[in-house]
């Protein structure tokens, strides 16, 4: 019996001593004092405590850099230009950087530590990224698997968005997920309505966030959002526009159309919305309204496989086929796509084959 | 003269000579990788390039030497007096892991260039079974004191490094060669390491210890 206690005691003793040693070492060795971070050539200066990754240091200063993996170095979204003060390129960064990016001092901010004064470049729009607290104002069923959720912002109270941008919704830890996850959804609100955010969320079978939204989210509940992100937006040109969407890919176009209405835009615009059958169509009245309010807007819903009872007299076929029927010359137009990766890839293929330059195809892919 | 030769006693070799023998034996005849096949996973994964092989090799030499010394002290002054030798497996692993963490922090602080050359290999070493193997074999050798353990650790580490550097040299040389599909990668590497191991058996007659 005494041997048992000696064994357990000495094992715990040794482990404890080592742990204390490591904690002390971490205190003293990992202390890099105060480092100055210069952002965008002196526009903003931060004095931060060194020793942590650049990403978490910036988050600590309320500058949110997009990151989907939470700093594990697997998503490659947290790229920033670091002009001075960065260590040599790490093997964990190499797979995410192209040769040009590496030459251009682009780094993964989650992988590099702040050890000394740094000089970094952060795109302007990222400064407007904030964390929001909001309550669910309403939840509406748009189709059998798509919900339209309206949030009222509490803190901060307002948000400035560019139509086409997306926001990340936090699904807190619940039965199916031990830790909180963030998922990105395009914003569907009128940019003038700065106090609300609307999202279209489609149920993904076994999706962590969508299951939470469909089964647990209630009106009046408080949620956390962060954003806005993304550079999917209407280009400042006069070219005719083609919108292509499927399912919840409707969201950014609702925001864009509201914006066009605000601006009294006269740009010619055709919106192809692809669905399987009648039951996948939604927002039809809203689209009919815009067709009246906007002088050169046209909404073309197309069903790939209408059900027998649908009495569908509109267009049938895939969006890519219907598009071809309505538009003869693609070369001088701009295309805006939002939907599943499959739909987007197919559309890009068709559009470029029809003579549209790839630089004029803009899209937001929901993986 | 005759008397002198007749009475020349058969003395134990000097202490330094013993250390040299232990070192050479650990590095060559008793090579931890090629005769015991420990530390194979990082050996197979990292031996593609000479530069990274040398980096990992140096890190292994350093860590085996230091942990052999540390674990000897624990063996001699903690586990043996308390009669808890059966716990050595666990204790050694914990010591190795903590030591590697500590070294990583120190190197990162003191010499950033060294950290960026070796740093990424250090965590990899924690789970390298060769390191634990060295500590355990060292305990099995009867009559090793602190210095002998240290030299045994250094020799074993250097032997591991020698093997991975040899392999990296060969793999760099055959990179462009046409190798049958089924043999590519780990397959051919294992065949080559088998052949190198045969060559190392040739050393075994040279040193007796």
């Amino acid at each position: 019996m005494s041997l048992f206690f000696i064994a357990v005691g000495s094992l715990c003793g040794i482990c404890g001593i080592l742990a204390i040693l490591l904690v002390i070492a971490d205190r003293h060795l990992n202390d890099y004092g105060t480092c100055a971070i210069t952002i965008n050539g002196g526009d903003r200066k931060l004095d931060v405590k060194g020793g942590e990754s650049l990403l978490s240091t910036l988050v600590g200063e309320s500058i949110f850099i997009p990151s989907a993996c939470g700093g594990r170095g697997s998503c490659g979204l947290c790229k920033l230009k670091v002009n001075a003060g960065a260590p040599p390129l790490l093997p964990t960064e190499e797979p995410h950087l192209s040769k040009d990016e590496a030459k251009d001092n682009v780094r993964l901010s989650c992988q590099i530590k702040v050890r000394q004064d740094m000089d970094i470049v952060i795109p302007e729009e990222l400064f407007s990224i904030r964390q929001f607290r909001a309550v669910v104002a309403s939840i509406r069923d748009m189709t059998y698997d798509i919900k339209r959720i309206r949030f009222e912002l509490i803190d901060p109270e307002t948000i400035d968005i560019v139509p086409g941008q997306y926001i990340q919704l936090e699904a807190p830890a619940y039965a199916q997920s031990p830790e909180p996850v963030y998922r990105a959804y395009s914003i569907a609100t009128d940019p003038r309505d700065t106090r609300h955010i609307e999202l279209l969320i489609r149920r993904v079978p076994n999706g962590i966030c969508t299951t939470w939204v469909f089964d647990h989210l209630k009106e009046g509940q408080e949620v956390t959002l962060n954003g806005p992100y993304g550079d999917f937006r209407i280009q400042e040109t006069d070219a005719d526009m083609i919108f292509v969407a499927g399912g919840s890919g409707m969201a950014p176009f609702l925001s864009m159309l509201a914006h066009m209405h605000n601006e009294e835009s006269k740009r010619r615009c055709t919106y192809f919305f692809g669905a399987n059958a009648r039951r996948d169509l939604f927002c039809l009245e809203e689209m009919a309204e815009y067709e009246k309010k906007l002088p050169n807007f046209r909404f073309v819903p197309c069903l790939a496989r209408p059900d027998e009872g649908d009495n569908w007299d509109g267009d049938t076929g895939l969006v890519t086929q219907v598009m071809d029927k309505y538009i003869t010359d693609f070369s001088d137009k701009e295309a805006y796509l939002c939907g599943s990766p499959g739909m987007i890839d197919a559309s890009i293929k068709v559009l470029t084959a029809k003579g549209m330059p790839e630089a004029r195809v803009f899209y937001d892919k929901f993986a | 003269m005759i008397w002198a030769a007749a009475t020349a006693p058969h003395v134990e070799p000097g202490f330094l000579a013993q250390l040299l023998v232990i070192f050479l034996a650990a590095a060559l005849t008793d090579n931890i990788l090629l005769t015991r096949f420990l530390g194979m996973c990082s050996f197979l994964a990292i031996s593609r390039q000479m530069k990274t092989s040398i980096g990992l090799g140096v890190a292994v030499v350093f860590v085996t030497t230091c942990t052999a010394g540390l674990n000897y002290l624990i063996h001699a002054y903690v586990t043996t007096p308390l009669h808890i030798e059966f716990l050595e497996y666990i204790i050694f692993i914990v010591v190795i892991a903590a030591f590697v963490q500590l070294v990583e922090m120190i190197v990162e602080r003191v010499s950033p260039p060294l950290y960026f050359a070796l740093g990424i290999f250090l965590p990899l070493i924690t789970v390298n079974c060769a390191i634990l193997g060295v500590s355990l074999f060292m305990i099995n050798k009867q009559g090793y004191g602190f210095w002998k353990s240290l030299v045994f650790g250094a020799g074993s580490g250097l032997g591991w490094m020698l093997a991975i550097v040899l392999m990296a040299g060969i793999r760099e040389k055959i990179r462009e060669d046409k190798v049958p599909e089924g043999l590519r990668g780990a397959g051919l590497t294992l065949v080559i390491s088998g052949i190198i191991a045969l060559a190392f058996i040739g050393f075994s007659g040279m040193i007796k210890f």
Side-chain angles (χ1 to χ4, degrees), chain A residues 46-330:
Chain A
L46 301 174
D47 284 320
V48 298
K49 208 174 149 292
E52 280 199 70
S53 77
L54 181 59
L55 179 71
S56 45
T57 307
L58 290 173
V59 169
E61 296 289 326
S62 299
I63 298 173
F64 294 95
I65 310 294
S67 163
C69 65
R72 284 198 300 261
S74 61
C75 71
L77 286 177
C78 62
K79 284 176 192 170
L80 284 184
K81 223 170 134 174
V82 181
N83 288 328
L89 199 63
L90 301 174
T92 42
E93 295 176 85
E94 269 166 26
H96 296 286
L97 301 174
S98 69
K99 271 207 180 108
D100 288 340
E101 284 176 326
K103 220 185 273 168
D104 212 24
N105 295 333
V106 175
R107 306 297 298 269
L108 289 192
S109 60
C110 68
Q111 294 298 305
I112 55 179
K113 248 186 183 179
V114 180
R115 287 191 187 78
Q116 48 189 303
D117 294 353
M118 289 178 127
D119 181 358
I120 62 174
V121 179
I122 300 178
E124 276 303 324
E125 65 260 24
L126 291 189
F127 284 121
S128 59
I129 293 173
R130 292 273 175 281
Q131 181 135 307
F132 295 89
R133 281 195 306 126
V135 286
V136 179
S138 68
I139 300 178
R140 276 183 289 159
D141 283 315
M142 303 309 283
T143 70
Y144 67 99
D145 70 343
I146 295 178
K147 280 185 194 291
R148 186 171 185 166
I149 302 174
R150 189 173 174 83
F151 299 97
E152 188 174 324
L153 303 178
I154 308 174
D155 178 34
E157 279 193 338
T158 58
I159 184 171
D160 286 315
I161 61 155
V162 178
Q165 284 189 306
Y166 64 88
I167 200 160
Q168 289 194 333
L169 172 66
E170 184 194 306
Y174 71 109
Q176 271 176 46
S177 151
E179 51 191 28
V181 296
Y182 293 91
R183 290 292 181 268
Y185 297 99
S186 291
I187 300 169
T189 18
D190 182 338
R192 279 194 187 167
D193 180 9
T194 55
R195 308 235 1 219
H196 296 95
I197 287 292
E198 268 184 17
L199 306 177
L200 291 177
I201 297 179
R202 176 187 208 150
R203 182 169 210 144
V204 179
N206 298 322
I208 293 173
C209 190
T210 60
T211 307
W212 172 72
V213 166
F214 273 72
D215 297 346
H216 298 273
L217 194 65
K218 301 272 177 308
E219 286 179 7
Q221 195 170 330
E222 196 173 309
V223 298
T224 307
L225 300 159
N226 64 65
Y229 301 99
D231 48 11
F232 179 57
R233 58 190 59 178
I234 295 177
Q235 305 297 308
E236 305 276 340
T237 62
D238 289 326
D240 293 354
M241 297 190 288
I242 303 170
F243 291 173
V244 183
S248 55
M250 168 74 86
F253 299 113
L254 288 173
S255 184
M256 287 178 177
L257 288 167
H259 176 67
M260 286 168 71
H261 179 237
N262 294 342
E263 304 277 298
E264 292 175 15
S265 168
K266 297 201 166 46
R267 275 174 85 168
R268 188 171 297 280
C269 175
T270 317
Y271 181 179
F272 298 96
F273 185 78
N276 271 332
R278 188 95 192 210
R279 61 188 191 130
D280 297 309
L281 290 176
F282 59 99
C283 285
L284 296 180
E285 301 89 60
E286 219 168 325
M287 290 299 128
E289 291 262 302
Y290 280 122
E291 281 188 325
K292 273 184 226 150
K293 289 194 275 193
L294 293 167
N296 290 313
F297 173 67
R298 183 161 188 198
F299 181 65
V300 184
C302 19
L303 298 187
R305 287 184 295 273
D307 287 338
E308 303 236 333
D310 275 356
N311 295 327
W312 181 248
D313 54 359
D315 291 283
T316 50
L318 297 171
V319 259
T320 44
Q321 299 161 341
V322 176
M323 216 155 50
D324 210 25
K325 210 171 92 186
Y326 280 81
I327 291 166
T328 41
D329 184 13
F330 284 86

Side-chain angles (χ1 to χ4, degrees), chain B residues 128-146:
Chain B
N128 188 330
C129 47
I131 313 280
L132 180 65
V134 168
S135 287
L136 293 173
F137 292 150
M138 163 195 87
I139 302 302
N140 285 343
K141 307 259 186 217
Q142 297 301 316
Y144 271 20
F146 178 72

Side-chain angles (χ1 to χ4, degrees), chain A residues 3 6-8 10-11 14-15 18 21-22 25-26 28-32 87-88 90-91 113 115, chain B residues 74 78-79 82-84 86-87 90-91 94-95 98-99 101-102 105-106 108-109 112 115-116 120:
Chain A
L3 183 67
I6 290 174
V8 173
S10 47
L11 187 62
I14 290 175
C15 292
L18 291 172
L21 215 65
L22 282 176
D26 188 55
H28 289 272
L29 293 172
N30 222 351
D31 179 13
Y32 290 85
L90 301 174
K113 248 186 183 179
R115 287 191 187 78
Chain B
I74 286 177
V78 182
T79 51
L82 291 176
H83 304 289
I84 49 166
F86 57 88
L87 274 182
I90 300 174
I91 293 175
V94 175
V95 168
F99 177 77
Q101 281 283 314
L102 206 62
M105 276 192 244
I106 294 171
E108 187 180 1
R109 181 81 222 204
Y115 175 73
F116 293 114
I120 50 160

